[in-house]
Amino acid sequence: MEFAKAEVKAILEKYGLRKTNCRLDVLQLLLSKKHALAHADIEEALGDRYDRVTLYRTLYTFEEKGLLHGINDSSGAAKYALCHESCDEHQHQDNHIHFSCTTCGQTYCINEVQIPKIQLPKGYKAASLQFTAQGICKNCSAASI
Ligand SMILES: [Zn+2]
Ligand SMILES: [Zn+2]
Ligand SMILES: [Zn+2]
């Protein structure tokens, strides 16, 4: 799915971000994918248009502003996905589970499913909670029929 540049610009505006080319390209890329992207995926997709540091900064800024969230699946590299809930620069509220497909290797946000509430022992305060299910994703199970 191609997102119009105007739409991408409007999102940056909404989040109070300056419209640099790198931000526009990264956001457009993330909007066009249904799955989360690792830094290396983004680097590969954008070619050598931006250096590593610029990309890191862009992802960092997006995460800070509540535009995307990092996911730790079992691949070892952090992946990034757009936030669909009411995240902002003060707080992320991505309480959904993630699904990591062992066939295609992609990680998806399952926005419909909330992370179950857990009861921690006294003295423990969780700052964040990650819940990643592993198995075969919708696309891969459809392809195997
Ligand atoms: Zn978020
Ligand atoms: Zn899959
Ligand atoms: Zn997610």
Side-chain angles (χ1 to χ4, degrees):
M1 191 168 36
E2 262 301 278
F3 264 80
K5 268 260 147 65
E7 240 174 301
V8 183
K9 281 183 180 164
I11 297 173
L12 287 180
E13 248 160 51
K14 194 182 131 202
Y15 282 85
L17 288 162
R18 257 191 324 119
K19 292 165 281 225
T20 66
N21 284 331
C22 185
R23 285 174 184 171
L24 285 168
D25 282 347
V26 170
L27 188 55
Q28 187 156 35
L29 178 68
L30 281 159
L31 284 165
S32 71
K33 303 284 181 196
K34 289 214 157 33
H35 54 79
L37 294 172
H39 190 276
D41 300 330
I42 297 170
E43 218 173 58
E44 199 182 292
L46 297 181
D48 47 14
R49 252 179 280 172
Y50 308 105
D51 60 54
R52 237 156 209 279
V53 179
T54 310
L55 274 184
Y56 268 117
R57 274 205 206 114
T58 300
L59 291 170
Y60 181 80
T61 306
F62 281 176
E63 196 167 6
E64 281 269 302
K65 286 282 180 184
L67 200 50
L68 54 80
H69 56 281
I71 305 163
N72 293 308
D73 60 10
S74 51
S75 67
K79 291 189 175 174
Y80 298 91
L82 289 170
C83 294
H84 296 269
E85 292 158 44
S86 47
C87 295
D88 59 28
E89 58 186 308
H90 306 294
Q91 207 181 357
H92 276 278
Q93 309 204 12
D94 306 287
N95 302 319
H96 55 269
I97 72 163
H98 291 111
F99 192 96
S100 172
C101 178
T102 48
T103 301
C104 63
Q106 304 297 1
T107 297
Y108 302 86
C109 289
I110 311 290
N111 292 303
E112 307 89 304
V113 183
Q114 298 280 305
I115 293 177
K117 287 243 180 318
I118 57 157
Q119 191 72 50
L120 287 166
K122 220 179 154 128
Y124 291 89
K125 264 193 195 137
S128 72
L129 207 55
Q130 300 255 355
F131 190 115
T132 309
Q134 276 190 325
I136 298 168
C137 79
K138 180 165 92 171
N139 300 332
C140 293
S141 27
S144 68
I145 295 169

